[in-house]
């Protein structure tokens, strides 16, 4: 096995050069070097077959309808040394604590507005600001209990937070399934390397959800609320419910009683629900409060939550901080609420609502990545270096029409990981989505979901747009014993 077209202009997560691996990847590289091209393709075929047998899939929406596809997976894992990951994990915990302080402040005292740290109009004009949540105080002060923060690493090896997914972040089931596939395909690698396990995430998630129980039950009745089988993340909803031993329910399975408690319908009648892990956006959650035409939610659910009769994760209204314009102020939030310096920096960000920033973006759009404030999945964005002149001009007009809705960032030289292609092993760009839980305690997954741009030169890693995934290994080089 040889790495083809090695480009030292990028930070390679596995290799220092085309022949020298990084310390954490030594065993991995030695194993792959012993294999020829046919053997590597055979392992990839085995991984693909394992994924198909396990039924791991995702849904792509298109004009032709919803298409279920097998989960795209590459057998070369991303490796990060444990000593480095410890500081990243601490930074992610710090970040979520500050974000939850911010959300709580927005719906209560609004101290950060009064101090002039964050402009009130940015937040109060966000489409995710929910006046119905004003005055609420979720348990432990945690509004976003499950966060998926996207990390990228630049050419110098510095990690940055690219964005925070605070509403209904997805992908953790694929992190778990990627590990299961790797253990079946290359079990010998786990015998000789100290790779941090990820399989306890469902227990950590359930423990966190139990800590949100507002009622006197010793063991909370937890349910996972899904929009149904046609949702793109339904596989994950069903997977997590199964792994936690929780009921998977749709809105029609729940009812709010005259006592403001939430009940689940079953063959024995009604059973009280204490905590809801909802995978439905705010606007569909309760037709009495939000969209009256929603058939996905539960009438009266907001009334039950405001009465303190049910815990909801993530809390309604937490999306006010899931805004790419608000993102630019997170380092200031950390300083304001925690009196600390950010441990993991933001990507430098231009706010098009500011005249000076807007002028720079319009003049340099061909070198920038431009994003709308509230889109996700890689949709609605412009990657300037890969865009046509017509696309750049179109985005200039969009920015002029609604400057508050757009930010821009420099085009980073994202790190790469060796990836198996039809032409052999080649470098492909990656990002990383770790998952952070906050309830009574805070927890960060060891690693997370590594997403890879399978198209040569592409920076778009989203599975819905042709991206794939890798297992992520946090490797401890200082421990001799194997778990």
């Amino acid at each position: 096995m040889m790495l083809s077209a090695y480009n030292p202009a990028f930070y390679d997560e596995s290799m220092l050069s085309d022949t020298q691996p990084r310390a954490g990847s030594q065993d991995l590289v030695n194993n792959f070097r012993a294999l020829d091209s046919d053997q590597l393709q055979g392992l990839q075929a085995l991984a693909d077959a394992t994924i198909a047998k396990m039924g791991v899939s995702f849904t792509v929406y298109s004009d032709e309808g919803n298409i279920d596809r097998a989960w795209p997976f590459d057998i070369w894992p991303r490796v990060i040394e444990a000593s480095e990951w410890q500081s990243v994990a601490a930074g992610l915990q710090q970040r979520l604590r500050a974000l939850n302080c911010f959300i709580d402040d927005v719906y209560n005292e609004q101290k950060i507005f009064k101090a002039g740290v964050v402009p009130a109009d940015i937040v109060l004009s966000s489409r995710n600001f929910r006046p119905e949540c004003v005055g609420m105080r979720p348990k432990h002060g945690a509004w976003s209990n499950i966060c998926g923060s996207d990390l990228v690493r630049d050419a110098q090896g510095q990690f940055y937070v690219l964005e925070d997914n605070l509403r209904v972040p997805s992908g953790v089931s694929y992190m778990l399934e990627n590990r299961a596939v790797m253990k079946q395909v290359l079990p010998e690698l786990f015998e000789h390397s100290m790779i941090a396990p990820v399989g306890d995430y469902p227990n950590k998630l359930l423990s966190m959800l139990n800590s949100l129980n507002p009622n006197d039950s010793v063991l909370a009745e937890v349910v996972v609320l899904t929009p149904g089988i046609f949702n793109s993340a339904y596989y994950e909803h069903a997977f997590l419910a199964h792994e936690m031993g929780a009921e998977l329910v749709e809105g029609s399975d729940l009812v709010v009683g005259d006592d403001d408690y939430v009940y689940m319908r079953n063959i024995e009648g009604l059973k009280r629900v204490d905590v809801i892990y909802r995978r439905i956006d705010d606007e569909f959650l309760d037709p009495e409060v939000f969209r009256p035409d929603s058939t996905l939610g539960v009438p009266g659910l907001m009334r039950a939550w405001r009465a303190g009769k049910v815990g909801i994760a993530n809390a309604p209204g937490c999306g006010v901080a899931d805004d790419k314009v608000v993102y630019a102020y997170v380092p200031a939030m950390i300083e304001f609420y925690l009196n600390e310096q950010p441990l993991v920096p933001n990507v430098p960000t231009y706010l098009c609502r500011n005249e000076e920033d807007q002028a720079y973006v319009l003049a340099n759009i061909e070198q920038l990545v431009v994003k709308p404030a509230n889109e996700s999945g890689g949709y609605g964005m412009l990657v300037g270096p890969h865009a046509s002149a017509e696309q750049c001009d179109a985005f200039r007009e969009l920015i002029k029409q609604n400057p508050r809705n757009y930010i821009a960032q420099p085009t980073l030289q994202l790190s790469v990981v060796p990836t198996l292609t039809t032409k052999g092993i080649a470098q492909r760009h990656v990002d990383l989505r770790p998952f952070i839980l906050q309830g009574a305690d805070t927890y960060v997954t060891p690693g997370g979901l590594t997403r890879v741009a399978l198209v040569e030169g592409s920076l778009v890693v989203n599975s819905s747009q042709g991206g794939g995934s890798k297992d992520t290994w946090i490797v401890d080089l200082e421990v001799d014993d194997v778990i």
Side-chain angles (χ1 to χ4, degrees):
M1 183 280 298
M2 292 297 291
L3 182 60
S4 64
Y6 179 84
N7 188 342
F10 305 123
Y11 183 96
D12 193 303
E13 303 279 348
S14 289
M15 307 296 293
L16 288 167
S17 70
D18 56 349
T19 58
Q20 179 61 43
R22 295 186 184 278
S25 298
Q26 185 72 60
D27 290 344
L28 170 69
V29 173
N30 288 344
N31 183 283
F32 280 158
R33 275 180 174 159
L35 305 176
D36 61 27
S37 178
D38 289 343
Q39 289 172 315
L40 283 172
Q41 294 294 345
L43 288 175
Q44 184 64 59
L46 177 58
D48 294 342
T50 302
I51 288 170
K53 184 177 180 180
M54 293 167 64
V56 186
S57 64
F58 72 105
T59 303
V60 176
Y61 298 124
S62 69
D63 294 337
E64 290 74 34
N66 300 343
I67 304 170
D68 283 328
R69 293 180 177 171
W71 180 244
F73 175 77
D74 181 76
I75 59 171
W76 190 301
R78 179 199 198 133
V79 179
I80 303 171
E81 293 182 21
S83 57
E84 180 181 25
W85 184 250
Q86 288 174 0
S87 61
V88 174
L92 294 173
Q93 292 188 40
Q94 177 198 58
R95 192 175 182 93
L96 186 56
R97 290 199 313 272
L99 282 162
N100 274 318
C101 287
F102 170 73
I103 302 168
D104 198 61
D105 190 21
V106 165
Y107 290 115
N108 291 281
E109 291 87 356
Q110 300 188 345
K111 294 179 292 185
I112 201 163
F113 299 158
K114 297 168 185 174
V117 177
V118 176
D121 67 291
I122 283 181
V123 179
L124 302 182
S125 67
S126 169
R127 75 182 192 190
N128 293 313
F129 174 72
R130 308 292 180 197
E132 301 85 357
C133 297
V134 170
M136 281 300 293
R137 297 278 193 182
K139 199 169 182 181
H140 311 299
W143 290 72
S144 181
N145 309 103
I146 305 102
C147 172
S149 289
D150 292 343
L151 302 178
V152 293
R153 201 201 287 261
D154 69 3
Q156 286 70 50
Q158 171 68 55
F159 272 115
Y160 292 90
V161 177
L162 187 63
E163 64 181 56
D164 304 290
N165 298 281
L166 299 163
R167 288 172 286 179
V168 283
S170 62
V172 75
S173 63
Y174 300 114
M175 175 194 79
L176 297 170
E177 296 286 39
N178 285 353
R179 178 59 54 86
V181 172
M182 281 298 291
K183 284 189 169 182
Q184 290 197 43
V185 174
L186 288 164
E188 64 274 13
L189 292 179
F190 292 86
E191 297 175 3
H192 306 296
S193 299
M194 279 299 300
I195 303 167
V198 297
D200 60 345
Y201 177 83
N203 290 331
K204 296 288 187 181
L205 176 60
L206 182 60
S207 177
M208 183 278 293
L209 293 171
N210 279 326
S211 78
L212 305 182
N213 183 6
N215 302 315
D216 56 5
S217 48
V218 176
L219 186 63
E221 182 67 39
V222 175
V223 300
V224 177
L225 177 60
T226 177
I229 60 173
F230 296 111
N231 183 266
S232 62
Y234 181 76
Y235 172 85
E236 176 159 296
H237 307 166
F239 176 88
L240 291 175
H242 177 268
E243 292 298 307
M244 290 192 293
E247 293 289 344
L248 180 67
V249 300
E250 297 184 25
S252 57
D253 297 318
L254 302 179
V255 62
V256 177
D258 294 337
D259 57 1
D260 288 341
Y261 283 103
V262 178
Y263 295 91
M264 172 174 50
R265 295 185 174 96
N266 60 26
I267 58 174
E268 299 174 354
L270 296 178
K271 186 174 185 179
R272 193 178 77 186
V273 171
D274 300 302
V275 180
I276 299 173
Y277 176 22
R278 55 97 172 209
R279 298 298 296 257
I280 294 177
D281 289 337
D282 282 357
E283 57 185 322
F284 299 102
L285 203 52
D286 182 348
E288 289 184 3
V289 175
F290 302 120
R291 284 184 54 158
D293 61 341
S294 172
T295 59
L296 302 177
V298 184
L301 183 56
M302 285 293 288
R303 173 165 37 92
W305 179 63
R306 288 188 62 89
K309 301 295 182 69
V310 68
I312 302 177
N314 289 342
C318 71
V320 72
D322 192 341
D323 180 304
K324 292 178 178 64
V325 177
V326 173
Y327 154 92
Y329 293 92
V330 175
M333 294 177 199
I334 293 171
E335 295 183 38
F336 182 76
Y337 293 114
L338 307 181
N339 195 29
E340 298 172 1
Q341 293 298 309
L343 298 176
V344 183
N346 271 20
V347 176
T349 302
Y350 300 97
L351 302 179
C352 293
R353 72 188 296 274
N354 299 338
E355 289 185 11
E356 186 176 336
D357 283 7
Q358 183 184 145
Y360 179 84
V361 171
L362 294 176
N364 297 276
I365 199 167
E366 292 85 0
Q367 286 78 48
L368 300 170
V369 176
V370 182
K371 303 176 183 178
N374 291 289
E375 292 292 337
S376 60
Y379 293 106
M381 63 185 285
L382 175 85
V383 181
H386 296 170
S388 66
E390 291 78 12
Q391 290 171 321
C392 289
D393 287 341
F395 261 77
R396 285 189 176 96
E397 291 305 311
L398 290 172
I399 291 169
K400 292 175 184 177
Q401 293 169 15
N402 187 5
R404 188 265 180 241
N405 191 50
Y406 289 94
I407 67 160
Q409 296 169 329
T411 307
L412 299 181
Q413 297 284 359
L414 300 188
S415 65
V416 294
V417 177
T419 300
L420 185 60
T421 74
T422 55
K423 298 178 181 179
I425 299 291
Q427 294 175 319
R428 292 291 184 266
H429 294 290
V430 293
D431 79 352
L432 177 63
R433 178 174 291 181
F435 295 87
I436 310 99
L437 305 179
Q438 186 175 341
D441 301 302
T442 306
Y443 167 79
V444 180
T445 55
L449 176 64
T450 288
R451 301 181 299 178
V452 55
L454 295 176
V455 177
E456 184 177 1
S458 174
L459 300 176
V460 180
V461 300
N462 308 83
S463 57
S464 57
Q465 299 193 54
S469 69
K470 292 173 173 286
D471 193 12
T472 309
W473 293 2
I474 304 302
V475 176
D476 194 339
L477 301 178
E478 300 177 2
V479 178
D480 294 326
D481 297 328
V482 176
I483 294 178

